[in-house]
Amino acid sequence: MKLNARMPAGPIAQKWDRHKFEMKLVNPANKRKHTIICVGTGLAGASAAASLGELGYNVVTLCIQDSPRRAHSIAAQGGINAAKNYQNDGDSVYRLFYDTVKGGDYRSRESNVYRLAQLSVNIIDQCVAQGVPFAREYGGLLDNRSFGGAQVSRTFYARGQTGQQLLIGAYQSLMRQVHEETVQLLPRREMLDLVTIDGKARGIIARNLVTGEIERYAGDAVILATGGYGTLYYLSTNAVNSNVTAAWRAHKRGALFANPCFTQIHPTCIPVSGDHQSKLTLMSESLRNDGRVWVPKQKDDTRPPDQIPEDERDYYLERKYPSFGNLVPRDVASRNAKQACDDGRGVGESGLAVYLDFADAIKRLGLETIQEKYGNLFHMYRKITDEDAYKVPMRIYPAIHYTMGGLWVDYNLMSNLPGLHVLGEANFSDHGANRLGASALMQGLADGYFIVPYTIGDYLASNTLPQVTTEHEAFNDAAASVQARINQLLSVKGNRGIREIHRELGQVMWDDVGMARTETSLKRALEAIPKLRDEFWHSVSIPGAPDNLNQSLEYAGRVADYLEFAELLAYDALQRRESAGGHFREESQTPEGEALRDDAQYSYVAAWEFKGVGRQPELHKEPLEFEEVHPTQRSYK
């Protein structure tokens, strides 16, 4: 299989504009003849469905929650990047492009990243027009703050609720099209299979999560905007319902899965407090603007933070990275926090935490200013920990967050399966080995508002798509396959809880395929995962019936997929014998302990083809070429 990324020719700054002109268009009167299925209603899915409905297409959009307003995009707190340069501090489209390629440790496509930087300025205008209440400065312009991996202020924000406000904007646009009847919104549905006919994606099989009914939907193209796979690790910052199932089922139908080992560890998370937790709570990276990260200089120092003098504190990020300080990228901040705790200088009862201290900022700026900027985050921290972070430092520790890997897509955001377009976190396209903070919202909205409306039109205009119905044999086969898997799950009748097995899988992944990876740990994981998968299929207990509301059955299906997908992730990490961004192989590091790439061997996208459960997948490589930004050893010092 030869991967064709379909990148346009010409200077990078002209690629997208030229490509838009060269793509074929669908006549306005013909748009209503096409049906597009959109799975997922977060920022990427809601913006895509709203935009396509506005253009006149018939859109069927499936929502796993009871409302699109509950999509996990709502949890993003700190902001959204855009190269507006309102601060007049040297920002530009090219600088955002450069920072994103460098932040991803030179493992992303230049052309995709430049387009993202270009479109960032349009996103802000779109969202302001929708009424998103971004913070404003005294002069009336939108305000900006800094985020990790940049030396300019380019992050637009709405206090600590940016994701929620952006999602409401996209939701309003979506519901307008629902009212206009160009979009049919189907809540509480979960996609369980992809239907391909003549090699093209033509529909999906979904389960109605209220009635248990297996439903069929046919169309001319399918969009997956179903988020990332961080909950593979059990404890993560993701919503508990976030999962890999839609992407994994598409992968089993032939869609390549790219760079699954590129998972992000977020450095600013409330630490684990016990076995009772089903998820972790994120503290926005924006807090690192004014909060200072530190640990005691002495090992095993159990004194309260206010009793540790200034000269006995190690502000290790400021010490090691004077140019960026506390605003180094997430992977760098996370590894340094782990190292401090591994050295015995962690804080809190577990010793697995570092301090994020606002005392200096409150003294410099005043309590009211800090409350205005971060008040809801401090309130959330107090509700969870019963500590007042205005008076004592927050305790934070890294946790699994975003996933840079995803289904492989070309420049048009189409997978290797014609007609299957993949948006937002569900694809691999823009972030390389590490995502810079405030870029997830940017990518999701760029994909949905400004890219897929063009590229999906090109696909529809360029292909002959005979009408198909849900009675087609391919739909019968896919529905029968879905039902057979449900029956298999319910037939096990074991004695182990689903959550218990998921927690065990997550522990294997965190210990052996987590913040640091070695050949030994990865091989250990690859031995443990198949055994745990076998244990699941022999011992899992799933109560209830298939033909009504059964949340245990939903959860079991997702864990079953994770037990297959985990093996691919570990295998991808094992074959990538270099460190890059969030993928840190201990065998490949600089003398200073930084990630050490091997550009000669691994400057490619690893796109994996499914060959069967428990069988070695086949690797396809898309070479990465850098014409604008020459790869160098990343330095934030």
Side-chain angles (χ1 to χ4, degrees), residues 40-51 68 71-74 76 79-80 123 127 130 132 162-171 225 423-424 440-449:
T41 52
L43 283 182
S47 60
S51 300
H72 184 59
S73 301
I74 203 171
I80 176 171
I123 295 169
C127 295
Q130 290 173 335
V132 173
T162 313
Q164 177 178 349
Q165 298 300 333
L166 290 170
L167 185 64
I168 289 172
Y171 168 76
L423 312 186
L441 305 182
M442 177 174 63
Q443 187 209 344
L445 293 179
D447 288 357
Y449 281 138

Side-chain angles (χ1 to χ4, degrees), residues 615-635:
R615 297 180 181 176
Q616 183 171 315
E618 183 177 349
L619 174 62
H620 303 278
K621 299 179 182 180
E622 179 199 331
L624 292 171
E625 299 177 359
F626 296 92
E627 299 175 353
E628 294 289 330
V629 182
H630 181 67
T632 59
Q633 174 61 39
R634 263 195 324 168
S635 175

Side-chain angles (χ1 to χ4, degrees), residues 9-68:
I12 195 165
Q14 299 174 17
K15 286 181 185 291
W16 177 235
D17 289 338
R18 173 181 292 187
H19 192 58
K20 285 193 293 184
F21 175 73
E22 292 175 345
M23 283 189 288
K24 294 183 178 180
L25 301 176
V26 178
N27 182 300
N30 289 335
K31 287 189 172 79
R32 58 180 173 266
K33 300 178 183 178
H34 290 289
T35 297
I36 299 170
I37 300 167
C38 185
V39 186
T41 52
L43 283 182
S47 60
S51 300
L52 293 167
E54 182 75 36
L55 286 171
Y57 294 105
N58 294 308
V59 182
V60 178
T61 187
L62 282 77
C63 174
I64 198 170
Q65 300 89 358
D66 54 357
S67 165

Side-chain angles (χ1 to χ4, degrees), residues 11 46 57 76 119 144 154 175 241 243 259 262 287 352 361 422 456 464 471 494 497 537 593 602 611 626:
Y57 294 105
L119 293 175
N144 293 117
R154 65 162 66 101
M175 296 311 293
N241 271 351
N243 62 82
N259 298 340
F262 287 163
L287 294 169
L352 295 176
V422 190
I456 207 166
T464 301
E471 301 305 313
W537 285 105
Y602 297 102
K611 290 295 183 181
F626 296 92

Side-chain angles (χ1 to χ4, degrees), residues 555-577:
Y555 185 29
R558 297 165 193 167
V559 173
D561 289 334
Y562 272 142
L563 286 161
E564 296 173 2
F565 170 65
E567 198 167 14
L568 175 64
L569 193 157
Y571 195 82
D572 184 44
L574 179 62
Q575 72 84 31
R576 190 171 283 276
R577 292 176 173 83

Side-chain angles (χ1 to χ4, degrees), residues 279-290:
K279 78 175 297 294
L280 297 174
T281 302
L282 178 69
M283 289 285 100
S284 170
E285 183 175 328
S286 63
L287 294 169
R288 289 200 277 146
N289 270 287
D290 292 304

